[in-house]
Structure formats: C-alpha cells, structure tokens
Amino acid sequence: MKNTSRRDFFRTSAGALGAASALGMIPPSIRKALAVEAAVDTGTIEDVKHIVILMQENRSFDHYFGTLRGVRGFGDRFPIPLASGKPVFYQPNPSGGAEIPPFRRDSRVANALIGSGTPHNFPDQQAAWNQGKMDRWIQFKNQATMGFYLREDIPFQFALADAFTLCDGYHCSILTGTDPNRIIFWSGSNFNPELRQRGINSTDTDSEPVNSRCWPNPSRWVAGREQQADGSGQIDPATGAYNYKYTNNAFKWDTLPDVLQKAGISWHIYQNMNNNWTGAMHGCLAFESFRTAQPGSPIYEHGLTGGPEAADGAVNFLAQLKHDVINGTLPQVSWVLPTQALAEHPGSSEGVAGAADFIADVLDALTANPAVWSRTVLFVTFDENDGFFDHLAMPAVPSYDAGGNLMGKSTVPLDGEYFDASVGSYLNANDTTSGKIRPWGLSSRVPMYVVSPWSKGGWVNSQVFDHTSVGRFLEKRFGITVEAISPWHRAVCGDLTSCLDFATPNDPVFPALPDTSNFPAINAAQRLLPTAPVTTAPATPQPLYQETGTRLSRALPYELHTSARIEPRGLVSLIFSNTGEQGAVFHVYDKLHLDRIPRRYTVEAGKQLQDYWNTDAGDGGKYELWVYSTNGFVRSFQGDALAHDAAGFKPEVQVCYEPANGQVYLKVHNGGTAAGSVTVTANAYRTDGPWALDVAAGETGTLHWNLDDSGRWYDFTVTAGAVERRFAGRVETGKPGVSDPAMALHLTA
C-alpha cells in the first residue's frame, strides 16, 4: 500500500490539478531520494555501484519542457529559419491560413493528459523533418504535434527536473519509432555494425527502419500471453524448446546485456513479460541471443522472466526490485520496463499522471535502502518523440539533396551511416526533398532525467547525448566496449558522465517533489473532459512562452569556431574548427536560399573543415549564412562578396576564447590596401558599447570583453559597411556555470 500522505495528497488540496499548494506532503521515499548523500569513496565514477535504466515512451523535449526555466525551449533566442523566413516555431498550416505555433494542451479544460498522439514512423518522421528544413510537422503529423504542457499540467515531471539534472541536448537516435530506437538503446546500433565498418548502408534486412522485430507473432502466444504464468516462456510443440515466433530475422551483434554477461558484470531486467506492449518495450527481442535463450541460461533468467506473481496473475516486478534493494542484491546494471498502461505513451490508459506515479514507485523501491541509493544512478529517458514537435536542429549526418549531392561534410567517415530505402516502401510519396539514401539520425530531443545523489540540485546539462550515451556510460564505469556504437556517434555524443558531480556531490538544499498517488482521480476527471481542444490549435494563436530565469548548468566539453573568408570571384569560404574535447555538428542555413537543404558539418575534436558558397551564381555577390551548433553557439555572416573584391578595407573577423578566465576576444585582420574601422555592438547581456576598432592596412586589431557578469555568455555584432558578423554563445572553462540569462526575456518584453 502506498504511503498515507501520498494517498491523501490531492484529497487535501484544492483540486487535483491545483495540487502544487500541498507540495510539502511528499512521500518519505522521495524525500530520501533527495536527502541521502552520495557515498564518496574515490570521488570518481568508480563510486557508482548500481546503474538503473528506465525508458518511457514517446515525448519530445519541447512537448514536456519547452516552457521550463533555464533550458533551451520556446524562449530560444536563435531559432532556425524556415523556408517562409519565419522562425521554426511557426509551422506552415497545410490547410491554409496562418502558421501554427506551439499551443498548450490545457488539462484544466480538456482531457490533455491521456491519449492524443501523432504519427511517428520512418516515412512521416523523415518527411516532417524535411532533411533539416523542419517545415512539415503539421503536414505529415497533425496539429497535435505542436501541443505542449505547462508546469501545472505535469507537476511531477517539472519537479523531478527541478530536483535533479535534466538534459536539454539528449536526442533519440533514429528518425523513426519505438523499436528502432529501443534497439539502438539496448545494443548501441540499429543497423548491422559489420556492414557499417565496411562502408555499406543497410537495408531493412540488416536494420530496423520501422517497428517489426520486437513484436512476437500473436498466433504463437500461449493463451494470448507472451509467456506462461510461471515465467518459463512458450514451448514449441514441434521441438519441445522454449521460443517465440517473430516476423523478421534476428540481429546477431551483442546487446548491452550480452556485453555485460561476457564481462562478468551482474545485470537484470525488471519487467512483466505478459504486460509489455506486445514486447515493444524490450529492444533485445530483436536479437538472436535473446530469441534463442533457454530456461536456466543467464540471458533467459535475467532478461526474459518477470517478477513474483500474485494470485490474480499480476507480475509485481517492482516488488522484486524493492526486495533486491532492501537485501543488498541489486545488480550492478538494471533495466526497468514499464507496463503498457504506465509507459507514458500518449495512448497509455493512465496517461502522464499514471506514468509519474510509476516513476515515483521506482524511486520508492530504489530509496528503500539508503545505503544502496547512495551508490546508485537512475537514468530516465524516452525512446522517441511520438512525432511531437521539437524546435532544435537535429545534429545528424549530412543529407543528400534530390540531385544526389551531399549537403555537408564530416571528418568522420560517413559510409554506412545511412538507410538505403531503395528496398521496400519506407518513404512517403510526397517526400521528394531527398533521394532514397536517408540519414539514420540523430533525431528529435527527448527528456533525460539523471536522478542520483550525484546529480541533485536542479541542473541542466546541454551536451549532445543520444541513446548510445547510456552504453558509453556503462563503458566508462566498467571498462567494457560496446562494439556496435559507431565512430560518428562516439565523436558527436557524450557519455553522460558530465551530468554527475563525483567529487563534491552532497548539497544540503533539497527541492520538494509533489505526490503522485492519486493519479486515478486525476485521470477520471480528465476523461470527463473533451479531447478536441488539445488536438487542434486554438483559433487565436498563443504567444510563445517560457519561464524566465536561470538554472545551474554543467560544464561542457565544447570549444567551437566558425569564421568566414571572402575568396576571389564571389566565393565565400566558411572554416569550421573544433579545439574542444567533444565533436560537434555545425548546421548552416543559407537565408537567401532557405528552399535548399541546410548543410551539416561533423567536426571531431581537434579537427577542421572548410566549404564554399558561390555567391556569383545568381546572388550578385550577396550572402547571408547562419551557423548553429550546441548550447546556443551561433555565427552569422552577411555581406557582398563581389563588392569585397573592389574594396580597399577588407576586414576578416575571428572570435577567440580565453578558457582560463572565461573571456572572449575579437581579432579583426585588414587584408586590404586601406585603413578602416569596424563597430561592435552588444545584442544582449550588457548595456555598454558600442565599440569602434580602427585597423590599418595589413594589420590586426583586437578587442577583449570580461564576461563575469553574464555567466560567460556573449552576443555581439560586428559591422563595417555592408559586412556584418554576429557571434553568440558561452565560453567554457571546464567549470559549472548558469544557463543562458537572456533565455525567454524577449518573449516578455
């Protein structure tokens, strides 16, 4: 039975959705999740003895947290541009009329917490993304794609983010649905690593573009169930062996459990195999090692059984989890699989409130033994975005345009990183922006909570992560190698260690989590309300909104640079360099040609790329190029390249960092034959300036700025006649900081 204070929480508050006033009445186990200090022995990742992994279903980051203070949400000052010239938030309406911006799924007036998903499979995801143009969300989903929640709608999810660490740069790995993303989550790859190593793109024979391999054939179930009541699985009458029947061929590379088992690291999957969305929660069912596992084998006993069974047939796997925590037998690595009703999928019968209660139950189990919790990290994320809108540019490999031209470059070999859609029917007939060779990912952002005594305090981490990052964390902790993770993913995606403070984790200030146990009453009230208002945009568009203010921000491994060089005959060269510790993707949007696919450049740490734009080919020398990368890194380059040829003053601008003290400085080189001057203006964070810099022919001038008062954030524009350069971002020093202080301020002006 649940704690009394939890059961009575909403009963004693003004109303089910006004329960924030009673936040002090929280379950003791949730208090312990915040109050238990981390066990610091070595001050390193070696202090983590237990890793618990929970993947929920189908929510995008903006859908949940676009309005949360201090994250990259609807208050983003640099949204990418659409072909219409408007920011990405204003999606074209295929029915005609005004564009449709994000709108609230208001749980006060409609059944917003249960149901109402959108299409989310490979054809519609590819078409909506439009190879980075990001302008067909409503056309290939529906208007519900733009719906989002406020803090009042999902108080537990917001409070969990405020209590621990939330990642606002965590992406699902594959631009498609559940099975493909869960397969990469459980193994490190969605496509055959051997083919990728040989530079061969996979077809559906060697990859999972749509849901297929994790769903056992229903005709082979026992009494309509995936396995027998004793947890033994199905007996094949022809052979007497235990197995299931599946639609497609099995993958043969190692899953994460296979890797752990071979390394002698204890693991277990806590689940109800008879209530697992027909197997879809369990990405390992796509693999031969799990399909052929027999009772008594480690894979079967730890990966294909349920928990203790009650008289009514219900499998209480959370009771088993709690038992193992209390008795000190929790494995080194555990996965928790939700039931269909509590999976947080829009189609789940208990909706977001029931899912919140499920996560609270997991925390209850893990905090039942403070000594165990003090050495535990819980990762809670989502397999994919369900087609819900997310505004951030996806750090993917470069796309091909309709003519077969690669729109970008990479310092990492790209052969094998694409899906060959020439076999099968996996593309929408109206998706003609590109050809048959499509990027696997990355895809949209999804929430990732890092819940642990090492991560408390309401932090945001803006490093780029994806589903391979969990496998990378296991590698870091246990010294294993997940061979299936590709070099491109290793270059671009982090290992999640930056989300935790292993050296000085114990903070005496703890925010409160709301209670969740009365979710049946919330859902009963929701079901009495209409659904239409949350699935269609309001007649009068709602203004963009995000809470203002900052939150603590983890140090990031980025030190990125982009500069322009004007070449003879109207050529503009962009140089992308990376002097940081993590690779990154640069996105280039040509504002004079937003009908074209944006170019993307993957640059590994310590490397550099260069590419060219011909401004004389129809633009008369004019150019306006905008470059976007991680955590608000923006560079823009505007001018007239042909006029530059004849100019006496030829400024070339370079932005440099002083990481030791978190400062930024500007170098302006005059490559011309006459002296000239540039003007520098601050666009945010400060009220001084502007600054003038005179530069003689053949000389270089510099300007320095102290960024202490802005949390090391900067945003400046340099102008000299028709030449304009803008540079914005945060200087990384290797130390924690704050989120963007200017985030969302323009929305409330």
Side-chain angles (χ1 to χ4, degrees):
M1 181 177 291
K2 300 194 185 218
N3 182 275
T4 302
S5 65
R6 210 165 139 184
R7 187 176 59 248
D8 295 340
F9 173 72
F10 289 109
R11 193 177 304 155
T12 59
S13 59
L17 296 178
S21 61
L23 293 187
M25 298 176 59
I26 59 174
S29 59
I30 303 302
R31 290 186 183 274
K32 286 190 291 184
L34 288 161
V36 173
E37 292 193 345
V40 180
D41 296 327
T42 67
T44 70
I45 195 174
E46 296 298 318
D47 292 335
V48 177
K49 304 303 180 186
H50 307 284
I51 299 166
V52 182
I53 305 161
L54 168 60
M55 176 176 271
Q56 294 287 84
E57 282 274 289
N58 294 43
R59 304 287 175 173
S60 80
F61 187 88
D62 277 348
H63 170 64
Y64 261 18
F65 293 119
T67 63
L68 177 66
R69 168 184 56 85
V71 301
R72 196 152 297 279
F74 297 142
D76 194 337
R77 297 174 56 245
F78 296 103
I80 61 175
L82 300 180
S84 65
K86 294 189 176 182
V88 67
F89 296 118
Y90 297 91
Q91 286 292 309
N93 185 348
S95 300
E99 293 87 357
I100 298 178
F103 60 88
R104 180 184 177 185
R105 295 168 63 103
D106 193 340
S107 59
R108 300 170 303 175
V109 299
N111 181 4
L113 303 181
I114 308 171
S116 306
T118 74
H120 50 279
N121 218 333
F122 190 88
D124 56 85
Q125 294 275 48
Q126 281 280 323
W129 176 51
N130 208 11
Q131 305 307 304
K133 295 170 66 176
M134 294 276 282
D135 57 357
R136 294 184 175 183
W137 287 84
I138 295 171
Q139 179 181 352
F140 289 100
K141 310 292 183 181
N142 53 53
Q143 292 188 14
T145 185
M146 304 304 291
F148 66 85
Y149 293 115
L150 287 181
R151 181 181 292 270
E152 302 93 290
D153 301 306
I154 51 172
F156 181 85
Q157 285 84 351
F158 268 68
L160 194 62
D162 286 340
F164 294 99
T165 294
L166 179 69
C167 299
D168 69 352
Y170 187 103
H171 296 253
C172 47
S173 298
I174 307 295
L175 200 70
T176 175
T178 290
D179 283 8
N181 277 289
R182 286 184 178 264
I183 287 170
I184 194 170
F185 184 70
W186 284 86
S187 75
S189 183
N190 174 66
F191 46 94
N192 190 331
E194 292 185 4
L195 290 182
R196 185 253 307 153
Q197 290 169 7
R198 291 158 51 194
I200 300 173
N201 294 324
S202 293
T203 65
D204 58 4
T205 301
D206 296 286
S207 64
E208 180 89 337
V210 299
N211 292 344
S212 173
R213 287 175 171 82
C214 298
W215 304 63
N217 189 332
S219 66
R220 303 300 301 181
W221 298 346
V222 175
R225 300 172 64 183
E226 291 179 25
Q227 85 186 105
Q228 296 190 52
D230 62 0
S232 62
Q234 180 185 357
I235 299 177
D236 188 326
T239 64
Y242 294 95
N243 63 18
Y244 300 106
K245 299 298 181 184
Y246 294 87
T247 302
N248 263 330
N249 61 307
F251 295 142
K252 300 183 184 299
W253 63 89
D254 282 345
T255 66
L256 296 183
D258 287 312
V259 175
L260 295 173
Q261 185 64 38
K262 292 175 181 178
I265 298 160
S266 60
W267 64 277
H268 190 76
I269 302 174
Y270 294 89
Q271 62 187 325
N272 180 349
M273 284 292 290
N274 299 324
N275 186 1
N276 189 16
W277 214 307
T278 321
M281 301 297 96
H282 197 331
C284 292
L285 297 183
F287 291 85
E288 184 174 85
S289 61
F290 274 73
R291 291 186 182 184
T292 60
Q294 298 298 304
S297 69
I299 294 295
Y300 189 95
E301 298 302 327
H302 291 291
L304 291 170
T305 60
E309 188 160 327
D312 63 357
V315 175
N316 194 342
F317 58 94
L318 289 184
Q320 184 65 52
L321 174 65
K322 188 170 186 177
H323 173 274
D324 292 345
V325 170
I326 291 173
N327 289 277
T329 56
L330 183 69
Q332 292 167 282
V333 181
S334 305
W335 285 267
V336 180
L337 300 187
T339 60
Q340 182 166 338
L342 300 175
E344 221 152 338
H345 191 287
S348 297
S349 61
E350 301 303 337
V352 297
D357 193 64
F358 174 71
I359 296 172
D361 281 341
V362 172
L363 278 173
D364 281 340
L366 294 175
T367 56
N369 184 341
V372 171
W373 177 244
S374 71
R375 301 175 182 277
T376 298
V377 175
L378 169 65
F379 294 113
V380 183
T381 190
F382 295 76
D383 54 5
E384 36 106 348
N385 63 306
D386 192 86
F388 287 120
F389 171 79
D390 186 76
H391 81 278
L392 210 64
M394 304 173 193
V397 297
S399 295
Y400 289 91
D401 68 10
N405 302 299
L406 188 64
M407 301 300 288
K409 296 180 179 181
S410 172
T411 62
V412 185
L414 296 176
D415 294 338
E417 289 284 349
Y418 296 84
F419 174 59
D420 184 352
S422 62
V423 178
S425 301
Y426 293 104
L427 297 177
N428 188 292
N430 295 316
D431 179 10
T432 58
T433 301
S434 182
K436 297 287 188 178
I437 304 301
R438 297 299 179 97
W440 277 122
L442 302 179
S443 184
S444 299
R445 291 181 303 166
V446 293
M448 162 62 94
Y449 316 92
V450 182
V451 185
S452 171
W454 288 283
S455 66
K456 59 196 176 194
W459 293 79
V460 63
N461 188 308
S462 299
Q463 188 173 354
V464 171
F465 303 114
D466 84 319
H467 294 333
T468 67
S469 298
V470 176
R472 299 275 306 284
F473 189 87
L474 298 180
E475 287 183 330
K476 195 80 171 182
R477 171 57 186 88
F478 298 114
I480 59 176
T481 300
V482 183
E483 299 285 356
I485 300 176
S486 77
W488 185 86
H489 281 86
R490 290 185 182 278
V492 170
C493 304
D495 60 16
L496 291 167
T497 56
S498 64
C499 296
L500 302 113
D501 178 3
F502 296 115
T504 57
N506 296 316
D507 186 338
V509 180
F510 311 121
L513 283 177
D515 186 36
T516 59
S517 61
N518 208 32
F519 75 90
I522 297 176
N523 288 343
Q526 284 282 288
R527 293 185 179 101
L528 297 176
L529 297 173
T531 59
V534 300
T535 59
T536 56
T540 301
Q542 297 173 359
L544 291 174
Y545 167 76
Q546 184 175 357
E547 301 169 347
T548 56
T550 61
R551 65 179 53 227
L552 296 173
S553 175
R554 295 294 185 189
L556 302 178
Y558 300 114
E559 191 173 285
L560 308 178
H561 314 264
T562 307
S563 57
R565 183 180 301 155
I566 309 304
E567 310 283 356
R569 296 178 297 280
L571 282 183
V572 176
S573 164
L574 292 188
I575 301 106
F576 310 92
S577 60
N578 185 346
T579 55
E581 298 176 352
Q582 177 77 51
V585 174
F586 297 85
H587 311 255
V588 183
Y589 285 79
D590 184 344
K591 283 202 171 182
L592 301 184
H593 296 283
L594 290 172
D595 56 314
R596 298 174 183 171
I597 294 173
R599 302 190 201 181
R600 290 188 293 277
Y601 300 86
T602 299
V603 184
E604 297 166 273
K607 295 190 178 182
Q608 179 175 294
L609 282 176
Q610 184 174 10
D611 210 351
Y612 298 88
W613 281 255
N614 184 359
T615 70
D616 194 21
D619 294 322
K622 301 292 193 301
Y623 62 91
E624 186 176 359
L625 305 173
W626 284 70
V627 182
Y628 302 80
S629 194
T630 60
N631 196 32
F633 174 94
V634 171
R635 300 290 186 266
S636 73
F637 308 92
Q638 185 174 352
D640 186 327
L642 292 178
H644 180 89
D645 284 347
F649 177 48
K650 298 182 178 181
E652 292 183 353
V653 176
Q654 185 178 6
V655 180
C656 305
Y657 312 116
E658 294 179 352
N661 56 18
Q663 310 308 315
V664 66
Y665 64 97
L666 182 73
K667 296 171 63 176
V668 180
H669 177 71
N670 181 0
T673 58
S677 178
V678 301
T679 300
V680 184
T681 305
N683 302 303
Y685 311 116
R686 56 198 307 145
T687 58
D688 54 344
W691 300 266
L693 180 63
D694 298 323
V695 188
E699 299 296 323
T700 299
T702 63
L703 285 172
H704 288 71
W705 289 275
N706 185 305
L707 304 180
D708 290 345
D709 292 339
S710 63
R712 305 192 302 273
W713 291 85
Y714 60 90
D715 182 1
F716 297 98
T717 296
V718 183
T719 56
V723 176
E724 180 177 300
R725 305 288 186 258
R726 188 169 182 176
F727 55 102
R730 186 176 82 171
V731 177
E732 296 296 333
T733 65
K735 298 178 182 179
V738 296
S739 60
D740 187 347
M743 183 76 71
L745 291 182
H746 63 290
L747 300 184
T748 59

